[in-house]
């Protein structure tokens, strides 16, 4: 804003001229001696004063991008209209506080100078111990007119600077907006307090990738004034995420030649969805990660609009093949083949795309934008490889099924692996076996007695991952759920919080099946752009068949997570009377691993009156709504005053028939003072069997909380964005908000170390 600088100089110049002239005259007659014995020039003193004003003035102004209104939008190809909306809210994080500091510094300097000017003999030499002065020229008194002019222009400069600070978002802050005709024009706004919702993904043929927040006025989002300290705290310490920018679906995880490989959907250019390529990282333990160069980029006609989700298959000879979805320039979703350029490279840095891609295109009857996300292949008894791909027909979600012998030529089987009416598009389909008798994972091709199969789908319509357990019939390539009432898309979910596009792989290194899931943000896109990154991955989880219920899977953080545990605190047999909150002294509660067990008073269970009312975590008022037998649990990421807190809790509902039903919930309604974050209440029913106490494991890692109830039968992942309960102010409490029952709790809480997640070193040493 050059005009503002010119204006400032115009006001400052006479002030500077008069003072310099005055100082020049005074310095002819002498100076004053500092304690060190050196002579300090008053011109230097005033120079610092002037520089303070200059930097305070210049750095206080907002950085906006303004274009001449005469230019049409096509003349500005680098800025899309969506980007311009985001840019108008982007100012460096340090500006408000920095401006205040600079203004304070400037004002103090001015007062000091004024006091010096007001002194009756401001430039007299220091007197000796006997009260006499050294010989030499005597200082003369300042001209009253010059003194008044100096003070006048100084006060004028202060007033100008204060006015500019107050109006920095006012009349001089012109933001680029899109008018009703679609062209770009500048318009003057007072303050960017709201932000309209932006959709990302559906137009390109994938699920919605932006967070559609609910805290809106007239359809616009109320923007919270996040500062750098708050946003820096949100970055996690031991969950996988790239160094910057956007990430979503996990892709092609595998263990190869001593390394765990993780590929993921990544935007290398921004903290929003778009320009999707494959990021790549490797690890020895799935905790500490090394970032590698991009594995695959959108450089071919069949994936020019995005290198989308895919899966890896390890062949019997140890070779790796990767199938992935590409989006063409016409937004047709096609399946492509890729493989390592050097199979002997344990890091699999370079990949080759098959020259004959695509290997599969949408079949007749399937829309061009409803054919994506091939699974890991499994072997049939005939020696063929079989895969399934997500799709839909009208509102019926389906998993198409194909056979191949070489991953180049495919035969589609009649019908589908499975279909469920009313569930919409199935994304990121997964299919794998689980053992009914062993506590080990199974390789994807295993079938036979003692084996059940899981079908999982990510529903485009609601962005949740659903699974069901059933029986796979290899001959006709179909799968039948054990209980149709909890079929895929209408029954059990992997996670009842923020968790999507999950993918499993068989870890032959430790004979286990490992689950990855994308954890998106629940704040505003403007905040993500401001902090420079968005999304992370869940802690990898082992996944087993729960043979006690027969309906659920058990998810649990991989054992390597425990290597991050530091000092621990134990709290045994803590009695929580109805309506009490108990602080737990563990220090900072930003990075924790918590194991807790709760025992509710049996007498209260028997005396509680049954009810026909139906309880639901999401609609029953959260942790503030009291019942006879709950809620009770933990308050995570809470400040001392409990003005911010995230309750993770159990609630026991007693039916009119006397039966008990337990719910596991996460209440974000009071998790943050910010307006531009989702504050939902998550949760679901959790099976509790005869003789079991209520158990909970919670991983707290800055802005993410992963909670596992009853050994992982029910899991909730939430993103939390407190404004007060951060750094050392983050605390954890026990609470019991029941009206009748007392609860006894026993806990062990570990502080958690940070994982090493960094670029791969040039010398190749890990």
């Amino acid at each position: 804003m050059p005009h503002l600088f010119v204006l400032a100089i115009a006001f400052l110049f006479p002030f500077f001229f008069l003072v310099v002239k005055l100082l020049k005259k005074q310095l002819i007659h002498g100076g004053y001696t500092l304690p060190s014995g050196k002579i300090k020039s008053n011109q230097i003193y005033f120079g610092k004063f002037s520089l303070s004003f200059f930097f305070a003035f210049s750095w206080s102004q907002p950085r906006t991008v303004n274009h001449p209104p005469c230019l049409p939008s096509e003349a500005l190809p680098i800025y899309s209209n969506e980007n311009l909306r985001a840019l108008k809210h982007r100012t460096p994080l340090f500006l408000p506080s920095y401006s205040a500091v600079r203004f304070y510094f400037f004002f103090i300097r001015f007062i000091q100078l004024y006091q010096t000017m007001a002194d009756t003999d401001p430039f007299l030499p220091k007197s000796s111990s006997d009260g006499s002065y050294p010989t030499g020229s005597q200082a003369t008194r300042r001209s009253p007119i010059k003194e008044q002019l100096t003070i006048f222009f100084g006060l004028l400069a202060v007033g100008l600077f204060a006015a500019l600070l107050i109006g920095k978002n006012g009349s001089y802050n012109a933001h680029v907006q899109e008018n009703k005709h679609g062209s770009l024009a500048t318009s003057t706004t007072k303050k960017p307090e709201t932000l309209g919702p932006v959709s990302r993904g559906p137009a390109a043929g994938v699920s919605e990738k932006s967070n559609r927040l609910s805290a809106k006025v007239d359809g616009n989002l109320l923007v919270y004034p996040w500062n750098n300290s708050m946003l820096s705290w949100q970055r996690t310490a031991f969950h996988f995420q790239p160094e910057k920018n956007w990430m979503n679906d996990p892709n092609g995880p595998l263990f190869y030649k001593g390394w765990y490989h993780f590929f993921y959907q990544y935007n290398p250019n921004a903290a929003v969805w778009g320009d999707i390529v494959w990021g790549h990282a490797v690890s020895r333990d799935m905790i500490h990660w090394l970032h590698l160069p991009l594995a695959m980029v959108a450089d071919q006609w069949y994936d020019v609009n995005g290198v989308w989700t895919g899966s890896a298959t390890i062949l019997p000879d140890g070779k790796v093949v990767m199938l992935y979805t590409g989006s063409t320039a016409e937004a047709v979703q096609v399946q492509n083949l890729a493989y390592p350029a050097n199979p002997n490279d344990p890091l699999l840095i370079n990949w080759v795309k098959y020259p004959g891609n695509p290997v599969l295109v949408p079949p007749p009857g399937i829309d061009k934008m409803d054919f994506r996300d091939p699974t890991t292949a499994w072997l049939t008894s005939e020696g063929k490889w079989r895969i399934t791909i997500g799709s839909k027909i009208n509102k019926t979600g389906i998993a198409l099924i194909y056979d191949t012998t070489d991953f180049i030529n495919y035969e589609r089987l009649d019908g589908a692996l499975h279909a469920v009416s009313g569930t919409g598009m199935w994304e990121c389909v997964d299919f794998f076996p689980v053992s009914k008798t062993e506590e080990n994972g199974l390789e994807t091709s295993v079938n036979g007695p003692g084996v059940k199969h899981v079908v999982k789908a990510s529903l485009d319509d609601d962005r949740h991952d659903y699974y069901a357990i059933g029986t796979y019939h290899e001959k006709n390539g179909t799968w039948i759920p054990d209980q149709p009432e909890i079929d895929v898309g209408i029954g059990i979910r992997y996670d009842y919080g923020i968790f999507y596009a999950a993918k499993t792989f068989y870890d032959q290194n430790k004979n286990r099946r490992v689950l990855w899931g994308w954890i998106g943000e629940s704040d505003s896109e403007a905040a993500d752009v401001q902090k420079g990154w968005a999304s992370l991955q869940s802690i990898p989880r082992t996944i087993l068949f729960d043979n006690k219920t027969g309906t659920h899977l058990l998810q649990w953080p991989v054992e390597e997570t425990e290597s991050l545990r530091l000092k621990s605190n134990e709290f045994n047999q803590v009695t929580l009377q109805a309506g009490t909150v108990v602080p737990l002294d563990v220090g900072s509660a930003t990075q924790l691993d918590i194991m807790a067990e709760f025992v509710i008073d049996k007498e209260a269970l028997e005396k509680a009156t049954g009810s026909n009312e139906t309880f639901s975590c999401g609609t029953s008022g959260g942790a503030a709504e009291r019942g006879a037998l709950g809620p009770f649990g933990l308050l995570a990421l809470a400040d001392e005053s409990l003005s911010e807190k995230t309750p993770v809790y159990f609630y026991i509902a007693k039916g009119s028939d006397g039966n008990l039903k337990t719910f596991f919930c996460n209440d974000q309604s009071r998790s943050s003072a910010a307006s531009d974050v989702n504050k939902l209440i998550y949760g679901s029913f959790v099976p509790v069997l005869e003789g079991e106490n209520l158990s909970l494991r919670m991983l707290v890692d800055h802005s993410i909380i992963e909670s596992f109830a009853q050994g992982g039968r029910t899991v909730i992942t939430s993103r939390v964005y407190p404004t007060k309960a951060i750094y050392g102010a983050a605390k954890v409490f026990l609470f019991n908000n029941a009206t009748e029952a007392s609860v006894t709790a026993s806990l062990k809480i570990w502080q958690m170390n940070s994982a090493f997640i960094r670029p791969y070193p040039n010398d190749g040493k890990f």
Side-chain angles (χ1 to χ4, degrees):
M1 295 178 289
H3 59 289
L4 293 179
F5 289 109
V6 172
L7 184 61
I9 292 171
F11 276 104
L12 284 174
F13 182 77
F15 181 42
F16 180 82
F17 175 81
L18 284 173
V19 174
V20 170
K21 184 176 180 180
L22 175 63
L23 292 178
K24 181 177 179 181
K25 180 176 181 180
Q26 298 295 344
L27 286 171
I28 294 173
H29 301 284
Y32 63 96
T33 305
L34 295 172
S36 62
K38 296 181 179 179
I39 300 298
K40 180 174 180 179
S41 165
N42 288 279
Q43 283 180 306
I44 296 175
Y45 186 86
F46 179 74
K48 289 187 175 181
F49 159 67
S50 301
L51 284 175
S52 297
F53 174 81
F54 175 78
F55 287 122
F57 174 81
S58 60
W59 288 344
S60 70
Q61 301 311 301
R63 271 62 167 170
T64 56
V65 178
N66 297 309
H67 299 290
C70 59
L71 290 180
S73 57
E74 47 272 356
L76 303 167
I78 194 169
Y79 296 117
S80 68
N81 291 332
E82 291 178 349
N83 287 338
L84 290 170
R85 293 190 193 101
L87 280 171
K88 76 176 185 177
H89 296 282
R90 285 188 73 180
T91 57
L93 300 176
F94 59 82
L95 289 185
S97 60
Y98 199 77
S99 298
V101 171
R102 282 291 177 179
F103 178 77
Y104 174 79
F105 182 68
F106 159 74
F107 186 74
I108 292 300
R109 288 293 198 194
F110 176 78
I111 293 300
Q112 291 173 338
L113 185 59
Y114 173 78
Q115 289 173 341
T116 304
M117 292 175 178
D119 191 353
T120 56
D121 292 298
F123 296 115
L124 286 179
K126 295 179 69 69
S127 63
S128 62
S129 59
D130 61 0
S132 63
Y133 293 101
T135 60
S137 302
Q138 296 294 311
T140 60
R141 287 295 304 271
R142 178 189 308 273
S143 168
I145 296 176
K146 290 183 178 180
E147 179 178 282
Q148 292 172 9
L149 285 173
T150 300
I151 295 171
F152 171 78
F153 282 108
L155 290 174
L156 189 62
V158 173
L160 172 65
F161 178 65
L164 287 170
L165 274 182
I166 294 170
K168 79 185 222 176
N169 285 318
S171 60
Y172 288 106
N173 188 10
H175 298 300
V176 179
Q177 296 182 336
E178 182 181 9
N179 65 22
K180 64 182 180 180
H181 301 295
S183 63
L184 294 177
T186 56
S187 65
T188 300
T189 59
K190 282 188 176 182
K191 191 175 181 180
E193 295 180 344
T194 59
L195 182 67
V198 176
S199 176
R200 299 185 188 277
V206 293
S207 63
E208 181 63 62
K209 296 299 187 289
S210 65
N211 178 35
R212 312 306 292 272
L213 290 160
S214 57
K216 296 172 183 175
V217 174
D218 297 329
N220 292 319
L221 177 68
L222 300 174
V223 177
Y224 185 79
W226 296 100
N227 62 41
N228 193 33
S229 178
M230 297 174 187
L231 295 176
S232 296
W233 176 89
Q234 293 176 12
R235 190 168 179 89
T236 60
F238 54 87
H239 283 74
F240 177 81
Q241 57 187 127
E243 294 180 284
K244 61 181 179 179
N245 296 331
W246 169 274
M247 172 179 64
N248 54 289
D249 305 6
N251 293 156
L254 74 156
F255 180 79
Y256 187 77
K257 294 186 182 296
W259 291 92
Y260 290 99
H261 289 257
F262 185 72
F263 304 88
Y264 53 94
Q265 301 279 277
Y266 180 59
N267 181 355
N269 303 316
V272 299
W273 184 87
D275 302 332
I276 295 298
V277 299
W278 273 31
H280 184 195
V282 293
S283 172
R284 295 289 193 184
D285 57 8
M286 290 190 288
I287 300 296
H288 307 287
W289 291 91
L290 299 174
H291 294 295
L292 295 178
L294 299 178
M296 289 191 284
V297 298
D299 58 359
Q300 302 296 324
W301 70 266
Y302 48 78
D303 60 14
V304 68
N305 273 346
V307 184
W308 290 350
T309 295
S311 302
T313 301
I314 300 178
L315 306 181
D317 60 3
K319 294 180 180 179
V320 177
V321 294
M322 196 77 75
L323 291 174
Y324 73 93
T325 299
S327 179
T328 71
E330 293 76 27
V332 179
Q333 294 172 6
V334 297
Q335 313 313 314
N336 305 299
L337 171 66
Y339 38 84
N342 179 12
N344 295 320
D345 175 16
L347 300 181
L348 300 177
I349 292 178
N350 296 311
W351 289 78
V352 175
K353 297 176 182 179
Y354 172 59
N357 280 335
V359 295
L360 277 172
V361 298
I366 298 298
D367 188 84
K368 69 175 185 177
M369 300 172 76
D370 296 332
F371 183 65
R372 56 185 178 269
D373 310 334
T375 62
T376 295
W378 66 94
L379 270 173
T380 68
S381 58
E382 297 178 349
K384 295 180 180 180
W385 291 100
R386 184 166 288 176
I387 64 169
T388 183
I389 298 172
S391 187
K392 71 173 182 177
I393 297 177
N394 297 320
K395 289 297 291 181
T396 297
I398 60 174
L400 303 172
I401 197 160
Y402 291 85
D403 281 353
T404 182
T405 57
D406 56 10
F407 291 90
I408 297 173
N409 302 290
Y410 293 82
E411 174 190 0
R412 182 185 170 190
L413 276 65
D414 293 336
L417 177 70
H418 193 56
V420 180
S421 177
T423 56
M425 176 67 195
W426 283 13
E427 295 188 302
C428 304
V429 174
D430 205 359
F431 178 76
F432 57 90
V434 290
S435 174
K436 294 171 58 179
T437 59
E438 300 178 4
E439 293 189 357
N440 291 324
L442 298 178
E443 197 275 328
T444 309
S445 299
V446 171
N447 196 6
V451 174
K452 304 297 290 185
H453 277 80
V454 176
V455 170
K456 166 263 171 182
S458 302
L459 299 195
D460 191 351
D461 287 355
D462 69 5
R463 290 196 292 175
H464 296 310
D465 280 18
Y466 295 82
Y467 73 86
I469 299 169
T471 302
Y472 168 58
H473 300 279
E474 181 194 295
K475 186 174 182 179
N476 62 1
T478 60
W479 173 91
I480 306 297
D482 289 345
Q483 297 186 30
E485 65 272 17
I486 52 173
D487 204 346
V488 179
I490 60 175
I492 304 171
R493 285 164 49 182
Y494 269 155
D495 193 299
Y496 288 88
I498 300 177
F499 187 91
Y500 193 65
K503 184 173 292 294
T504 67
F505 77 101
Y506 176 66
D507 175 16
Q508 70 273 27
N509 182 44
K510 292 193 173 182
N511 298 319
R512 58 186 174 180
R513 183 158 289 273
V514 177
L515 172 70
W516 285 97
W518 165 41
I519 312 299
E521 303 291 332
S522 60
D523 62 350
S524 70
E525 184 175 283
D528 296 340
V529 171
Q530 193 175 2
K531 67 191 178 188
W533 59 270
S535 303
L536 49 134
Q537 298 293 327
S538 65
I539 284 292
R541 307 169 182 176
T542 57
I543 194 165
L544 293 170
F545 175 71
D546 181 9
N547 53 27
K548 292 182 179 180
T549 63
T551 56
H552 284 65
L553 297 172
L554 299 176
Q555 303 170 58
W556 202 248
V558 293
E559 61 184 4
E560 290 88 341
T561 308
E562 298 172 13
S563 68
L564 295 174
R565 288 174 173 173
L566 300 172
K567 67 176 183 178
S568 64
N569 296 90
E570 291 193 54
F571 305 88
N572 295 314
Q573 302 295 307
V574 180
T575 299
L576 298 168
Q577 298 296 333
T580 59
V581 176
V582 177
L584 299 174
D585 185 11
V586 298
S588 175
T590 288
Q591 294 173 211
L592 299 177
D593 187 354
I594 303 174
M595 299 284 286
E597 190 172 90
F598 300 90
V599 178
I600 192 167
D601 179 34
K602 291 184 179 180
E603 185 177 350
L605 286 174
E606 294 173 357
K607 289 184 177 180
T609 304
S611 171
N612 289 322
E613 292 184 10
T614 300
F615 180 86
S616 167
C617 291
T619 61
S620 297
E625 188 69 23
R626 304 182 70 182
L629 305 176
F632 56 88
L634 290 160
L635 301 177
L637 295 177
D639 68 334
E640 188 72 41
S641 67
L642 298 182
S643 62
E644 290 184 334
K645 55 188 176 292
T646 301
V648 178
Y649 59 94
F650 292 99
Y651 188 100
I652 300 175
K654 190 172 186 178
S656 56
D657 57 2
N659 291 329
L660 302 175
K661 193 171 184 179
T662 303
F663 294 84
F664 182 52
C665 312
N666 178 306
D667 179 2
Q668 295 185 278
S669 60
R670 297 165 185 84
S671 62
S672 175
S675 56
D676 55 353
V677 301
N678 274 337
K679 299 176 185 177
L680 304 178
I681 303 172
Y682 302 119
S684 181
F685 162 73
V686 56
V688 180
L689 307 183
E690 185 72 27
E692 290 183 344
N693 290 329
L694 298 177
S695 64
L696 160 66
R697 183 177 184 182
M698 184 190 302
L699 293 175
V700 181
D701 185 9
H702 293 258
S703 60
I704 180 173
I705 301 175
E706 293 185 82
S707 306
F708 305 80
Q710 301 308 108
R713 284 186 193 132
T714 300
V715 183
I716 304 173
T717 299
S718 60
R719 299 299 307 279
V720 184
Y721 308 91
T723 62
K724 304 170 188 175
I726 58 178
Y727 300 105
K731 301 185 183 303
V732 62
F733 298 80
L734 279 168
F735 82 99
N736 176 14
N737 207 27
T739 58
E740 300 179 15
S742 64
V743 177
T744 301
S746 296
L747 306 91
K748 189 168 185 178
I749 303 177
W750 290 266
Q751 291 285 341
M752 294 290 276
N753 204 352
S754 299
F756 293 101
I757 304 175
R758 60 188 189 278
Y760 190 84
N762 293 330
D763 58 9
K765 295 180 180 180
F766 185 25

